[in-house]
Amino acid sequence: MHLEFKEIEPIRSMNALLDLARLIAQIKGPKKVAVAAASEAHVIEAVNEARIEGLIQPILFGNPERIRKIATELGIQADNLEVHPARDPVEATVLATKAVASGEADILMKGLVHSSDFLRAALNKEWGLRTGKLLSHVLVFESKGYERLFFMSDGAMNINPDLKAKIQIVENAVTLAHALGIPRPKVALLAAVEVVNPEMETAVEDAIIAKMADRGQIKGATIDGPLALDNAVSLEAARIKGIQSPVAGKADILIVDNIDVGNVFYKSLIYFARVRGAGIIMGAKAPLVLTSRADPEEVKFLSLALAVILAERLPYVA
Ligand code: COD
């Protein structure tokens, strides 16, 4: 059952996101999270913190001895953790994915397993979490000086999306913004420059998507592109460059062309700018928490909080 309040105040910071996740868990109880290959300290720490906060009930899949050893080293009482044994990270991922597909768990989280193995399990045609839609990754982050959250996609799943895939990447990010109470997010399709250079294939695609949005073929958002990152997020930069656009300087959602751009963007935010971020895969039968194996514990914890909100607010079908 979904939360009664369809309309929520727009979530504009990670603290507000956490408050909403706490409220949902308070009203509806903790969400069950199947953790694939859980033997990693940041994962166990994040999962345990979310458990103590009452946000989630973790179900760990992996090597029980290793998981209990890491937990004990972290000062966590291993008896509090439900562990299902698996021989290796791939088997752990298969079991965790099946637990979500069967409805035993509400959320799937990646632990110490390669992203490609984790995603292939989700995409498995027989027992995975496909819906017929494109699956794509969105990083939600906050940054000093901006009174809103940003959404960046796709820096972790779709390697080199074509026009059709890029439209679905936009739609998934828009769905996520809606779930966080942002009724009509502004989407910037990022490129190196804001002119439509016919030699830049992806910038031409951006212009097509922007036109499709103008004609109402993509709904629920204001979309423009190509835009360079500076004039997408800075009104001053947009003014200096004389750009007339309803998105310029005000973008909420930043869409990149391929996984390399997105992944470097993601990791620059986390490692250089030390922003608070949360990573999620959209488009599946359930929220999938996908962060990089080396991401800090806080990124994993915030990603779990985001997944709790989505598990409640999106019409997922197990
Ligand atoms: N959404 C829905 N279905 C998809 C998607 C998607 N994003 N990607 C592939 N599929 C479907 C295809 O339609 C097809 O039916 C089947 O899955 C297999 O398609 P392939 O052969 O193109 O896919 P794979 O299995 O070779 O690769 C899929 C991955 C997601 C594993 C691949 O795209 C990948 O490795 N992505 C990068 C992951 C990564 O390393 N990230 C690092 C950052 S953390």
Side-chain angles (χ1 to χ4, degrees):
M1 201 173 76
H2 291 268
L3 268 192
E4 300 306 317
F5 52 92
K6 280 269 181 285
E7 302 282 325
I8 57 165
E9 285 292 306
I11 302 300
R12 301 223 168 270
S13 68
M14 281 298 173
N15 283 343
L17 185 146
L18 266 178
D19 286 346
L20 178 59
R22 287 186 185 115
L23 179 66
I24 287 170
Q26 230 173 42
I27 299 172
K28 295 295 181 94
K31 299 288 176 203
K32 289 185 183 159
V33 180
V35 185
S39 34
E40 195 279 315
H42 287 156
V43 170
I44 294 176
E45 237 183 323
V47 156
N48 189 54
E49 196 187 332
R51 180 187 68 80
I52 291 169
E53 283 241 16
L55 296 179
I56 68 159
Q57 181 187 329
I59 310 167
L60 310 184
F61 293 82
N63 180 318
E65 289 78 45
R66 216 173 296 152
I67 291 171
R68 294 212 169 90
K69 184 168 177 284
I70 297 170
T72 309
E73 282 165 7
L74 290 167
I76 296 166
Q77 220 173 349
D79 298 348
N80 287 330
L81 301 174
E82 179 182 338
V83 183
H84 293 244
R87 281 182 299 248
D88 55 51
V90 172
E91 188 185 65
T93 304
V94 172
L95 295 174
T97 306
K98 286 183 174 174
V100 177
S102 68
E104 281 165 65
D106 308 296
I107 294 165
L108 179 65
M109 181 183 192
K110 174 173 109 82
L112 200 57
V113 56
H114 286 287
S115 295
S116 49
D117 290 331
F118 179 80
L119 293 170
R120 277 201 188 98
L123 289 173
N124 185 283
K125 284 189 178 130
E126 281 144 45
W127 43 261
L129 298 166
R130 282 171 178 249
T131 56
K133 286 191 199 159
L134 184 92
L135 273 63
S136 58
H137 185 268
V138 186
L139 178 78
V140 183
F141 65 95
E142 65 182 10
S143 180
K144 281 203 185 81
Y146 293 92
E147 289 179 351
R148 64 186 186 276
L149 288 174
F150 289 105
F151 304 79
M152 191 277 291
S153 188
D154 177 341
M157 182 161 191
N158 291 280
I159 296 173
N160 211 4
D162 60 12
L163 176 61
K164 213 169 137 204
K166 205 165 172 183
I167 292 167
Q168 293 182 64
I169 287 171
V170 170
E171 288 172 341
N172 280 346
V174 169
T175 301
L176 173 46
H178 288 171
L180 295 187
I182 300 154
R184 196 171 173 84
K186 295 186 171 59
V187 182
L189 307 164
L190 295 184
V193 286
E194 55 286 344
V195 289
V196 185
N197 180 344
E199 289 186 39
M200 292 180 174
E201 202 181 314
T202 52
V204 174
E205 285 178 3
D206 293 345
I208 294 171
I209 297 172
K211 178 50 82 182
M212 288 171 75
D214 286 348
R215 295 273 166 93
Q217 287 174 261
I218 307 169
K219 299 190 192 327
T222 305
I223 304 175
D224 203 6
L227 286 168
L229 178 60
D230 54 353
N231 46 60
V233 300
S234 156
L235 279 171
E236 180 69 358
R239 190 187 59 75
I240 292 168
K241 293 193 180 172
I243 297 163
Q244 303 292 325
S245 156
V247 173
K250 298 179 197 158
D252 304 290
I253 297 176
L254 307 168
I255 301 295
V256 299
D257 285 332
N258 62 50
I259 196 170
D260 291 327
V261 176
N263 205 264
V264 173
F265 191 163
Y266 174 160
K267 288 183 180 151
S268 302
L269 290 167
I270 304 291
Y271 285 86
F272 292 140
R274 303 210 176 274
V275 302
R276 297 171 85 199
I280 203 92
I281 296 278
M282 299 290 292
K285 277 187 188 163
L288 313 190
V289 172
L290 186 137
T291 57
S292 182
R293 275 165 289 166
D295 276 345
E297 179 267 333
E298 192 186 25
V299 174
K300 297 186 194 310
F301 174 72
L302 291 170
S303 304
L304 283 167
L306 175 61
V308 166
I309 296 173
L310 296 179
E312 189 58 45
R313 289 192 49 83
L314 293 182
Y316 287 113
V317 278

